[in-house]
Amino acid sequence: EPGVLFLDEPFHALDEAREEKALELLRRVKETHGWQIVIFSKDDDMESRGRAVFGETVMVHRLGAGR
């Protein structure tokens, strides 16, 4: 059954190669199960990296934005 997966700073401790693998795994979960992915991150570049993997179907909320 489709659901929503909320991830809070899921990649902050990963190097670039492991982050790419994790994003690819999440993409497969999204495609297989129809889940929506919401990522909360302080990383300024997370939105562009997330969109590179998921296209416009991922939501990335930058923590601390507007402070």
Short mmCIF file of all heavy atoms in Angstrom, two decimals:
data_model
loop_
_atom_site.label_atom_id
_atom_site.label_comp_id
_atom_site.label_asym_id
_atom_site.label_seq_id
_atom_site.Cartn_x
_atom_site.Cartn_y
_atom_site.Cartn_z
N GLU A 1 0.84 -1.18 0.00
CA GLU A 1 0.00 0.00 0.00
C GLU A 1 0.89 1.24 0.00
O GLU A 1 1.83 1.32 0.77
CB GLU A 1 -0.89 -0.01 1.25
CG GLU A 1 -1.81 1.15 1.31
CD GLU A 1 -2.81 0.99 2.43
OE1 GLU A 1 -3.41 -0.08 2.53
OE2 GLU A 1 -2.95 1.95 3.19
N PRO A 2 0.60 2.22 -0.85
CA PRO A 2 1.42 3.44 -0.90
C PRO A 2 1.40 4.18 0.43
O PRO A 2 0.41 4.15 1.16
CB PRO A 2 0.76 4.28 -1.99
CG PRO A 2 0.00 3.30 -2.82
CD PRO A 2 -0.44 2.22 -1.89
N GLY A 3 2.49 4.83 0.72
CA GLY A 3 2.61 5.61 1.94
C GLY A 3 3.56 6.77 1.73
O GLY A 3 3.96 7.07 0.60
N VAL A 4 3.92 7.40 2.83
CA VAL A 4 4.86 8.51 2.80
C VAL A 4 6.04 8.15 3.69
O VAL A 4 5.86 7.70 4.82
CB VAL A 4 4.20 9.81 3.30
CG1 VAL A 4 5.20 10.96 3.28
CG2 VAL A 4 2.97 10.15 2.48
N LEU A 5 7.24 8.34 3.17
CA LEU A 5 8.46 8.09 3.93
C LEU A 5 9.11 9.43 4.23
O LEU A 5 9.50 10.16 3.32
CB LEU A 5 9.42 7.20 3.13
CG LEU A 5 10.73 6.84 3.79
CD1 LEU A 5 10.49 6.06 5.08
CD2 LEU A 5 11.58 6.01 2.84
N PHE A 6 9.19 9.79 5.52
CA PHE A 6 9.83 11.03 5.96
C PHE A 6 11.24 10.70 6.42
O PHE A 6 11.43 9.81 7.25
CB PHE A 6 9.05 11.66 7.12
CG PHE A 6 7.70 12.17 6.74
CD1 PHE A 6 6.58 11.37 6.90
CD2 PHE A 6 7.55 13.44 6.21
CE1 PHE A 6 5.32 11.84 6.56
CE2 PHE A 6 6.29 13.92 5.86
CZ PHE A 6 5.18 13.11 6.02
N LEU A 7 12.21 11.42 5.89
CA LEU A 7 13.62 11.19 6.23
C LEU A 7 14.22 12.48 6.76
O LEU A 7 14.22 13.50 6.07
CB LEU A 7 14.39 10.72 4.99
CG LEU A 7 13.86 9.45 4.33
CD1 LEU A 7 14.44 9.29 2.94
CD2 LEU A 7 14.18 8.26 5.19
N ASP A 8 14.76 12.45 7.97
CA ASP A 8 15.36 13.62 8.59
C ASP A 8 16.88 13.48 8.58
O ASP A 8 17.43 12.62 9.26
CB ASP A 8 14.83 13.76 10.02
CG ASP A 8 15.35 15.00 10.73
OD1 ASP A 8 15.88 15.90 10.05
OD2 ASP A 8 15.21 15.06 11.96
N GLU A 9 17.53 14.30 7.77
CA GLU A 9 19.00 14.27 7.63
C GLU A 9 19.51 12.85 7.38
O GLU A 9 20.42 12.38 8.05
CB GLU A 9 19.66 14.83 8.90
CG GLU A 9 19.47 16.31 9.10
CD GLU A 9 20.28 17.17 8.16
OE1 GLU A 9 21.25 16.69 7.57
OE2 GLU A 9 19.92 18.34 7.99
N PRO A 10 18.96 12.15 6.39
CA PRO A 10 19.29 10.74 6.23
C PRO A 10 20.70 10.45 5.73
O PRO A 10 21.19 9.35 5.89
CB PRO A 10 18.26 10.26 5.20
CG PRO A 10 17.96 11.48 4.40
CD PRO A 10 18.01 12.62 5.39
N PHE A 11 21.37 11.44 5.14
CA PHE A 11 22.65 11.16 4.49
C PHE A 11 23.82 11.93 5.09
O PHE A 11 24.91 11.88 4.56
CB PHE A 11 22.56 11.49 3.00
CG PHE A 11 21.36 10.89 2.33
CD1 PHE A 11 20.38 11.69 1.78
CD2 PHE A 11 21.19 9.52 2.27
CE1 PHE A 11 19.27 11.14 1.17
CE2 PHE A 11 20.08 8.95 1.67
CZ PHE A 11 19.11 9.77 1.12
N HIS A 12 23.62 12.62 6.20
CA HIS A 12 24.66 13.51 6.71
C HIS A 12 25.95 12.79 7.08
O HIS A 12 27.01 13.39 7.03
CB HIS A 12 24.14 14.34 7.88
CG HIS A 12 24.03 13.61 9.17
ND1 HIS A 12 22.94 12.84 9.48
CD2 HIS A 12 24.88 13.52 10.21
CE1 HIS A 12 23.12 12.31 10.67
NE2 HIS A 12 24.29 12.69 11.13
N ALA A 13 25.90 11.52 7.41
CA ALA A 13 27.11 10.79 7.80
C ALA A 13 27.68 9.92 6.69
O ALA A 13 28.64 9.19 6.90
CB ALA A 13 26.82 9.93 9.03
N LEU A 14 27.08 10.00 5.48
CA LEU A 14 27.52 9.15 4.38
C LEU A 14 28.45 9.89 3.43
O LEU A 14 28.28 11.08 3.19
CB LEU A 14 26.31 8.65 3.58
CG LEU A 14 25.27 7.83 4.32
CD1 LEU A 14 24.16 7.42 3.37
CD2 LEU A 14 25.91 6.61 4.97
N ASP A 15 29.41 9.16 2.89
CA ASP A 15 30.22 9.76 1.84
C ASP A 15 29.40 9.79 0.55
O ASP A 15 28.29 9.25 0.49
CB ASP A 15 31.55 9.01 1.67
CG ASP A 15 31.39 7.56 1.25
OD1 ASP A 15 30.40 7.22 0.56
OD2 ASP A 15 32.26 6.75 1.62
N GLU A 16 29.93 10.44 -0.47
CA GLU A 16 29.17 10.65 -1.70
C GLU A 16 28.74 9.35 -2.37
O GLU A 16 27.60 9.23 -2.83
CB GLU A 16 30.02 11.47 -2.68
CG GLU A 16 29.27 11.91 -3.90
CD GLU A 16 30.10 12.82 -4.80
OE1 GLU A 16 30.87 13.63 -4.26
OE2 GLU A 16 29.95 12.70 -6.02
N ALA A 17 29.62 8.36 -2.41
CA ALA A 17 29.29 7.09 -3.06
C ALA A 17 28.15 6.37 -2.33
O ALA A 17 27.23 5.85 -2.97
CB ALA A 17 30.52 6.19 -3.12
N ARG A 18 28.19 6.36 -1.01
CA ARG A 18 27.13 5.69 -0.23
C ARG A 18 25.82 6.47 -0.32
O ARG A 18 24.75 5.88 -0.34
CB ARG A 18 27.57 5.51 1.21
CG ARG A 18 28.60 4.40 1.35
CD ARG A 18 28.90 4.09 2.80
NE ARG A 18 29.76 2.95 2.89
CZ ARG A 18 31.09 3.01 3.03
NH1 ARG A 18 31.70 4.18 3.08
NH2 ARG A 18 31.80 1.91 3.13
N GLU A 19 25.92 7.80 -0.38
CA GLU A 19 24.71 8.60 -0.54
C GLU A 19 24.03 8.28 -1.88
O GLU A 19 22.81 8.12 -1.94
CB GLU A 19 25.03 10.09 -0.48
CG GLU A 19 23.80 10.96 -0.67
CD GLU A 19 24.13 12.43 -0.68
OE1 GLU A 19 24.69 12.93 0.32
OE2 GLU A 19 23.81 13.08 -1.69
N GLU A 20 24.81 8.17 -2.94
CA GLU A 20 24.26 7.82 -4.25
C GLU A 20 23.57 6.47 -4.21
O GLU A 20 22.48 6.30 -4.77
CB GLU A 20 25.35 7.84 -5.31
CG GLU A 20 25.83 9.23 -5.67
CD GLU A 20 26.96 9.20 -6.68
OE1 GLU A 20 27.15 8.18 -7.36
OE2 GLU A 20 27.65 10.23 -6.79
N LYS A 21 24.18 5.49 -3.56
CA LYS A 21 23.58 4.16 -3.44
C LYS A 21 22.28 4.22 -2.64
O LYS A 21 21.30 3.57 -2.99
CB LYS A 21 24.56 3.18 -2.79
CG LYS A 21 25.70 2.79 -3.70
CD LYS A 21 26.65 1.84 -3.00
CE LYS A 21 27.83 1.51 -3.90
NZ LYS A 21 28.79 0.61 -3.25
N ALA A 22 22.28 5.00 -1.56
CA ALA A 22 21.08 5.12 -0.73
C ALA A 22 19.95 5.80 -1.51
O ALA A 22 18.79 5.38 -1.44
CB ALA A 22 21.40 5.91 0.55
N LEU A 23 20.27 6.85 -2.27
CA LEU A 23 19.26 7.52 -3.07
C LEU A 23 18.69 6.58 -4.14
O LEU A 23 17.49 6.57 -4.38
CB LEU A 23 19.84 8.78 -3.73
CG LEU A 23 19.99 9.98 -2.82
CD1 LEU A 23 20.84 11.05 -3.49
CD2 LEU A 23 18.64 10.55 -2.42
N GLU A 24 19.55 5.78 -4.73
CA GLU A 24 19.10 4.82 -5.74
C GLU A 24 18.18 3.77 -5.11
O GLU A 24 17.16 3.40 -5.68
CB GLU A 24 20.28 4.16 -6.43
CG GLU A 24 19.92 3.12 -7.45
CD GLU A 24 19.05 3.64 -8.59
OE1 GLU A 24 19.13 4.84 -8.91
OE2 GLU A 24 18.27 2.84 -9.15
N LEU A 25 18.52 3.30 -3.92
CA LEU A 25 17.67 2.35 -3.20
C LEU A 25 16.30 2.97 -2.90
O LEU A 25 15.26 2.34 -3.11
CB LEU A 25 18.34 1.90 -1.91
CG LEU A 25 17.53 0.97 -1.02
CD1 LEU A 25 17.23 -0.33 -1.74
CD2 LEU A 25 18.27 0.71 0.28
N LEU A 26 16.30 4.22 -2.46
CA LEU A 26 15.03 4.90 -2.19
C LEU A 26 14.21 5.06 -3.48
O LEU A 26 12.99 4.95 -3.46
CB LEU A 26 15.28 6.27 -1.57
CG LEU A 26 15.73 6.26 -0.12
CD1 LEU A 26 16.15 7.66 0.32
CD2 LEU A 26 14.63 5.73 0.78
N ARG A 27 14.87 5.34 -4.59
CA ARG A 27 14.17 5.45 -5.87
C ARG A 27 13.47 4.14 -6.21
O ARG A 27 12.32 4.12 -6.63
CB ARG A 27 15.12 5.86 -6.99
CG ARG A 27 14.39 6.11 -8.33
CD ARG A 27 15.36 6.27 -9.48
NE ARG A 27 16.16 5.08 -9.71
CZ ARG A 27 15.72 3.96 -10.28
NH1 ARG A 27 14.48 3.85 -10.68
NH2 ARG A 27 16.53 2.93 -10.46
N ARG A 28 14.17 3.02 -6.00
CA ARG A 28 13.57 1.72 -6.29
C ARG A 28 12.40 1.42 -5.37
O ARG A 28 11.37 0.90 -5.81
CB ARG A 28 14.63 0.62 -6.19
CG ARG A 28 15.60 0.65 -7.35
CD ARG A 28 16.48 -0.54 -7.35
NE ARG A 28 17.16 -0.62 -6.05
CZ ARG A 28 18.36 -1.13 -5.86
NH1 ARG A 28 19.03 -1.66 -6.86
NH2 ARG A 28 18.90 -1.14 -4.68
N VAL A 29 12.52 1.79 -4.09
CA VAL A 29 11.41 1.61 -3.14
C VAL A 29 10.22 2.44 -3.60
O VAL A 29 9.08 1.97 -3.60
CB VAL A 29 11.84 2.00 -1.71
CG1 VAL A 29 10.64 2.13 -0.79
CG2 VAL A 29 12.83 0.98 -1.16
N LYS A 30 10.48 3.68 -4.00
CA LYS A 30 9.41 4.56 -4.47
C LYS A 30 8.71 3.96 -5.68
O LYS A 30 7.48 3.92 -5.76
CB LYS A 30 9.97 5.93 -4.81
CG LYS A 30 8.94 6.91 -5.31
CD LYS A 30 9.59 8.23 -5.63
CE LYS A 30 8.66 9.25 -6.21
NZ LYS A 30 7.28 8.96 -6.31
N GLU A 31 9.49 3.49 -6.65
CA GLU A 31 8.90 2.92 -7.86
C GLU A 31 8.16 1.62 -7.59
O GLU A 31 7.09 1.38 -8.14
CB GLU A 31 9.99 2.68 -8.91
CG GLU A 31 10.53 3.95 -9.51
CD GLU A 31 11.65 3.70 -10.51
OE1 GLU A 31 12.08 2.53 -10.67
OE2 GLU A 31 12.11 4.68 -11.11
N THR A 32 8.71 0.78 -6.74
CA THR A 32 8.12 -0.52 -6.44
C THR A 32 6.84 -0.41 -5.62
O THR A 32 5.86 -1.09 -5.89
CB THR A 32 9.13 -1.41 -5.70
OG1 THR A 32 10.30 -1.54 -6.50
CG2 THR A 32 8.57 -2.78 -5.40
N HIS A 33 6.87 0.46 -4.61
CA HIS A 33 5.77 0.52 -3.65
C HIS A 33 4.88 1.76 -3.81
O HIS A 33 3.86 1.86 -3.14
CB HIS A 33 6.30 0.46 -2.22
CG HIS A 33 7.06 -0.79 -1.94
ND1 HIS A 33 6.44 -2.02 -1.79
CD2 HIS A 33 8.38 -1.04 -1.80
CE1 HIS A 33 7.35 -2.95 -1.57
NE2 HIS A 33 8.54 -2.38 -1.57
N GLY A 34 5.30 2.71 -4.65
CA GLY A 34 4.50 3.92 -4.86
C GLY A 34 4.56 4.91 -3.71
O GLY A 34 3.69 5.77 -3.60
N TRP A 35 5.57 4.80 -2.86
CA TRP A 35 5.69 5.71 -1.72
C TRP A 35 6.10 7.11 -2.17
O TRP A 35 6.80 7.28 -3.16
CB TRP A 35 6.74 5.21 -0.75
CG TRP A 35 6.36 3.98 0.01
CD1 TRP A 35 5.25 3.20 -0.18
CD2 TRP A 35 7.09 3.38 1.05
NE1 TRP A 35 5.27 2.15 0.69
CE2 TRP A 35 6.39 2.24 1.47
CE3 TRP A 35 8.28 3.69 1.68
CZ2 TRP A 35 6.83 1.42 2.48
CZ3 TRP A 35 8.73 2.87 2.68
CH2 TRP A 35 8.00 1.75 3.08
N GLN A 36 5.68 8.09 -1.41
CA GLN A 36 6.17 9.45 -1.57
C GLN A 36 7.38 9.61 -0.66
O GLN A 36 7.40 9.06 0.44
CB GLN A 36 5.09 10.48 -1.18
CG GLN A 36 3.86 10.41 -2.06
CD GLN A 36 4.20 10.74 -3.51
OE1 GLN A 36 4.85 11.73 -3.78
NE2 GLN A 36 3.79 9.88 -4.41
N ILE A 37 8.37 10.36 -1.11
CA ILE A 37 9.59 10.57 -0.33
C ILE A 37 9.67 12.04 0.05
O ILE A 37 9.59 12.92 -0.80
CB ILE A 37 10.85 10.20 -1.14
CG1 ILE A 37 10.74 8.78 -1.72
CG2 ILE A 37 12.12 10.37 -0.31
CD1 ILE A 37 10.77 7.67 -0.72
N VAL A 38 9.85 12.31 1.36
CA VAL A 38 10.06 13.67 1.86
C VAL A 38 11.37 13.67 2.63
O VAL A 38 11.54 12.90 3.58
CB VAL A 38 8.91 14.13 2.78
CG1 VAL A 38 9.16 15.55 3.28
CG2 VAL A 38 7.57 14.03 2.07
N ILE A 39 12.31 14.52 2.22
CA ILE A 39 13.63 14.59 2.85
C ILE A 39 13.79 15.94 3.52
O ILE A 39 13.58 16.98 2.90
CB ILE A 39 14.76 14.39 1.80
CG1 ILE A 39 14.61 13.02 1.14
CG2 ILE A 39 16.13 14.54 2.46
CD1 ILE A 39 15.56 12.80 -0.04
N PHE A 40 14.16 15.93 4.79
CA PHE A 40 14.50 17.14 5.53
C PHE A 40 16.02 17.17 5.65
O PHE A 40 16.62 16.19 6.08
CB PHE A 40 13.87 17.12 6.93
CG PHE A 40 12.37 17.14 6.90
CD1 PHE A 40 11.65 15.96 6.91
CD2 PHE A 40 11.68 18.34 6.87
CE1 PHE A 40 10.27 15.96 6.88
CE2 PHE A 40 10.29 18.35 6.84
CZ PHE A 40 9.59 17.17 6.84
N SER A 41 16.64 18.29 5.28
CA SER A 41 18.10 18.34 5.28
C SER A 41 18.59 19.77 5.46
O SER A 41 17.94 20.72 5.01
CB SER A 41 18.64 17.78 3.95
OG SER A 41 20.04 17.83 3.94
N LYS A 42 19.74 19.92 6.09
CA LYS A 42 20.41 21.21 6.19
C LYS A 42 21.37 21.41 5.01
O LYS A 42 21.91 22.48 4.83
CB LYS A 42 21.18 21.30 7.50
CG LYS A 42 20.29 21.33 8.71
CD LYS A 42 21.10 21.36 9.99
CE LYS A 42 20.17 21.25 11.18
NZ LYS A 42 20.87 20.96 12.41
N ASP A 43 21.57 20.38 4.24
CA ASP A 43 22.50 20.41 3.10
C ASP A 43 21.89 21.21 1.95
O ASP A 43 20.84 20.85 1.41
CB ASP A 43 22.77 18.97 2.66
CG ASP A 43 23.76 18.85 1.53
OD1 ASP A 43 24.05 19.86 0.86
OD2 ASP A 43 24.25 17.73 1.30
N ASP A 44 22.54 22.28 1.58
CA ASP A 44 22.04 23.16 0.52
C ASP A 44 21.88 22.45 -0.82
O ASP A 44 21.06 22.84 -1.63
CB ASP A 44 22.97 24.36 0.33
CG ASP A 44 22.94 25.32 1.51
OD1 ASP A 44 21.93 25.34 2.24
OD2 ASP A 44 23.93 26.05 1.69
N ASP A 45 22.67 21.42 -1.06
CA ASP A 45 22.65 20.74 -2.36
C ASP A 45 21.76 19.50 -2.40
O ASP A 45 21.64 18.86 -3.44
CB ASP A 45 24.07 20.34 -2.76
CG ASP A 45 24.97 21.55 -2.92
OD1 ASP A 45 24.49 22.57 -3.47
OD2 ASP A 45 26.14 21.48 -2.50
N MET A 46 21.13 19.16 -1.28
CA MET A 46 20.32 17.94 -1.24
C MET A 46 19.15 17.99 -2.21
O MET A 46 18.82 16.99 -2.84
CB MET A 46 19.81 17.70 0.18
CG MET A 46 19.07 16.39 0.37
SD MET A 46 20.18 14.99 0.28
CE MET A 46 19.66 14.23 -1.22
N GLU A 47 18.54 19.15 -2.37
CA GLU A 47 17.40 19.25 -3.28
C GLU A 47 17.81 18.91 -4.71
O GLU A 47 17.14 18.12 -5.37
CB GLU A 47 16.78 20.64 -3.24
CG GLU A 47 15.55 20.72 -4.11
CD GLU A 47 14.80 22.03 -3.95
OE1 GLU A 47 15.28 22.94 -3.26
OE2 GLU A 47 13.70 22.11 -4.52
N SER A 48 18.93 19.45 -5.17
CA SER A 48 19.35 19.17 -6.55
C SER A 48 19.75 17.70 -6.71
O SER A 48 19.45 17.09 -7.73
CB SER A 48 20.48 20.10 -6.97
OG SER A 48 21.62 19.92 -6.17
N ARG A 49 20.41 17.13 -5.70
CA ARG A 49 20.79 15.71 -5.79
C ARG A 49 19.55 14.82 -5.75
O ARG A 49 19.46 13.83 -6.49
CB ARG A 49 21.77 15.35 -4.69
CG ARG A 49 23.13 16.00 -4.89
CD ARG A 49 24.21 15.42 -4.01
NE ARG A 49 23.88 15.33 -2.60
CZ ARG A 49 24.10 16.30 -1.70
NH1 ARG A 49 24.61 17.45 -2.06
NH2 ARG A 49 23.80 16.11 -0.44
N GLY A 50 18.59 15.18 -4.91
CA GLY A 50 17.34 14.41 -4.84
C GLY A 50 16.57 14.48 -6.15
O GLY A 50 16.07 13.47 -6.65
N ARG A 51 16.51 15.66 -6.74
CA ARG A 51 15.79 15.81 -8.02
C ARG A 51 16.52 15.10 -9.15
O ARG A 51 15.87 14.64 -10.09
CB ARG A 51 15.59 17.28 -8.33
CG ARG A 51 14.67 17.94 -7.35
CD ARG A 51 13.86 19.05 -7.92
NE ARG A 51 13.13 19.77 -6.89
CZ ARG A 51 12.02 19.35 -6.31
NH1 ARG A 51 11.51 18.19 -6.65
NH2 ARG A 51 11.41 20.06 -5.38
N ALA A 52 17.83 14.98 -9.07
CA ALA A 52 18.58 14.25 -10.09
C ALA A 52 18.18 12.77 -10.09
O ALA A 52 18.17 12.13 -11.14
CB ALA A 52 20.09 14.39 -9.86
N VAL A 53 17.83 12.24 -8.93
CA VAL A 53 17.45 10.84 -8.82
C VAL A 53 15.94 10.65 -9.01
O VAL A 53 15.50 9.75 -9.72
CB VAL A 53 17.88 10.27 -7.44
CG1 VAL A 53 17.34 8.87 -7.24
CG2 VAL A 53 19.39 10.28 -7.32
N PHE A 54 15.13 11.51 -8.38
CA PHE A 54 13.68 11.33 -8.35
C PHE A 54 12.92 12.22 -9.32
O PHE A 54 11.71 12.08 -9.46
CB PHE A 54 13.14 11.62 -6.94
CG PHE A 54 13.67 10.71 -5.88
CD1 PHE A 54 14.65 11.13 -5.01
CD2 PHE A 54 13.17 9.43 -5.74
CE1 PHE A 54 15.13 10.30 -4.02
CE2 PHE A 54 13.63 8.60 -4.76
CZ PHE A 54 14.63 9.02 -3.89
N GLY A 55 13.59 13.17 -9.94
CA GLY A 55 12.88 14.15 -10.76
C GLY A 55 12.08 15.07 -9.85
O GLY A 55 12.46 15.35 -8.72
N GLU A 56 10.95 15.51 -10.32
CA GLU A 56 10.12 16.44 -9.55
C GLU A 56 9.25 15.74 -8.52
O GLU A 56 8.44 16.39 -7.86
CB GLU A 56 9.24 17.26 -10.51
CG GLU A 56 10.03 18.17 -11.43
CD GLU A 56 10.81 19.24 -10.67
OE1 GLU A 56 10.26 19.83 -9.73
OE2 GLU A 56 11.98 19.47 -11.01
N THR A 57 9.41 14.43 -8.37
CA THR A 57 8.51 13.69 -7.49
C THR A 57 9.01 13.60 -6.05
O THR A 57 8.37 12.96 -5.23
CB THR A 57 8.29 12.26 -8.02
OG1 THR A 57 9.53 11.55 -8.00
CG2 THR A 57 7.71 12.29 -9.42
N VAL A 58 10.12 14.23 -5.74
CA VAL A 58 10.63 14.21 -4.37
C VAL A 58 10.45 15.60 -3.76
O VAL A 58 10.54 16.61 -4.46
CB VAL A 58 12.12 13.78 -4.30
CG1 VAL A 58 13.01 14.81 -4.93
CG2 VAL A 58 12.55 13.50 -2.87
N MET A 59 10.19 15.64 -2.46
CA MET A 59 10.12 16.91 -1.76
C MET A 59 11.30 16.99 -0.81
O MET A 59 11.51 16.09 0.00
CB MET A 59 8.82 17.03 -0.96
CG MET A 59 8.74 18.31 -0.18
SD MET A 59 7.19 18.40 0.72
CE MET A 59 7.44 19.96 1.53
N VAL A 60 12.10 18.05 -0.96
CA VAL A 60 13.22 18.27 -0.06
C VAL A 60 12.97 19.59 0.65
O VAL A 60 12.79 20.62 0.02
CB VAL A 60 14.56 18.34 -0.83
CG1 VAL A 60 15.71 18.64 0.13
CG2 VAL A 60 14.82 17.04 -1.59
N HIS A 61 12.91 19.51 1.98
CA HIS A 61 12.72 20.71 2.79
C HIS A 61 14.04 21.03 3.46
O HIS A 61 14.57 20.20 4.20
CB HIS A 61 11.63 20.48 3.84
CG HIS A 61 11.44 21.66 4.74
ND1 HIS A 61 10.81 22.80 4.32
CD2 HIS A 61 11.83 21.88 6.01
CE1 HIS A 61 10.80 23.68 5.31
NE2 HIS A 61 11.41 23.13 6.34
N ARG A 62 14.60 22.21 3.15
CA ARG A 62 15.87 22.60 3.74
C ARG A 62 15.63 23.14 5.15
O ARG A 62 14.95 24.14 5.33
CB ARG A 62 16.59 23.64 2.91
CG ARG A 62 18.05 23.77 3.33
CD ARG A 62 18.87 24.52 2.35
NE ARG A 62 18.87 25.96 2.53
CZ ARG A 62 19.33 26.60 3.58
NH1 ARG A 62 19.79 25.93 4.62
NH2 ARG A 62 19.33 27.90 3.63
N LEU A 63 16.19 22.46 6.14
CA LEU A 63 16.07 22.87 7.53
C LEU A 63 16.86 24.15 7.76
O LEU A 63 17.96 24.31 7.23
CB LEU A 63 16.59 21.77 8.45
CG LEU A 63 15.85 20.44 8.37
CD1 LEU A 63 16.57 19.39 9.18
CD2 LEU A 63 14.42 20.59 8.81
N GLY A 64 16.31 25.04 8.51
CA GLY A 64 17.00 26.30 8.82
C GLY A 64 16.83 27.35 7.74
O GLY A 64 17.38 28.43 7.85
N ALA A 65 16.09 27.06 6.70
CA ALA A 65 15.87 28.04 5.63
C ALA A 65 15.08 29.20 6.18
O ALA A 65 14.14 29.03 6.94
CB ALA A 65 15.12 27.39 4.47
N GLY A 66 15.49 30.41 5.83
CA GLY A 66 14.78 31.59 6.26
C GLY A 66 15.20 32.10 7.63
O GLY A 66 14.62 33.03 8.16
N ARG A 67 16.18 31.50 8.21
CA ARG A 67 16.66 31.96 9.53
C ARG A 67 17.71 32.99 9.36
O ARG A 67 18.46 33.05 8.48
CB ARG A 67 17.21 30.79 10.34
CG ARG A 67 16.11 29.91 10.83
CD ARG A 67 16.71 28.92 11.76
NE ARG A 67 15.64 28.04 12.18
CZ ARG A 67 15.84 27.00 12.93
NH1 ARG A 67 17.04 26.71 13.35
NH2 ARG A 67 14.87 26.23 13.29
#
